[in-house]
Amino acid sequence: MKSILIYFILISAFTFLCFGYDKQLARKNKWRIPERTLFFLVLVGGTIGGLGAMQVFRHKTNKTSFMLVVYGILILQLVLLYFGMDFLKSFA
């Protein structure tokens, strides 16, 4: 259980940094991190870092389609967590 927590902390921190770096690149009109990559990082567990970075850096918050995908991933993760917890309780 401890290793799972460490994983989520690390992936969230990495996602936060990637969102911040992408914002910095956007300000300089340079080649950006693809949205697909940012979505992937959120999907594999960096949701907290991604959402935090969106607020801290004010990054991608005006892009409705991006917001919908990120919040859709969050809802999917919460549903999977709920059913996963329920599934594990059946074995206890």
Side-chain angles (χ1 to χ4, degrees):
M1 192 61 124
K2 185 177 179 182
S3 59
I4 293 172
L5 180 62
I6 291 170
Y7 168 78
F8 282 114
I9 290 170
L10 291 176
I11 192 68
S12 286
F14 182 69
T15 303
F16 184 89
L17 293 173
C18 286
F19 271 70
Y21 182 62
D22 188 55
K23 178 66 175 194
Q24 184 179 29
L25 293 172
R27 287 184 180 145
K28 295 179 181 180
N29 289 323
K30 293 196 173 186
W31 193 267
R32 310 265 307 276
I33 297 173
E35 285 186 356
R36 183 181 308 171
T37 302
L38 298 175
F39 290 144
F40 177 76
L41 290 171
V42 170
L43 183 65
V44 297
T47 310
I48 293 171
L51 290 172
M54 288 170 69
Q55 296 306 310
V56 169
F57 302 116
R58 302 297 302 156
H59 188 46
K60 302 271 190 191
T61 55
N62 288 328
K63 191 168 183 185
T64 305
S65 61
F66 190 88
M67 296 286 289
L68 287 173
V69 173
V70 171
Y71 281 107
I73 291 171
L74 173 63
I75 291 168
L76 174 66
Q77 289 172 335
L78 291 173
V79 167
L80 290 174
L81 179 66
Y82 174 78
F83 285 113
M85 298 290 277
D86 196 41
F87 178 75
L88 291 176
K89 285 180 186 176
S90 66
F91 289 105

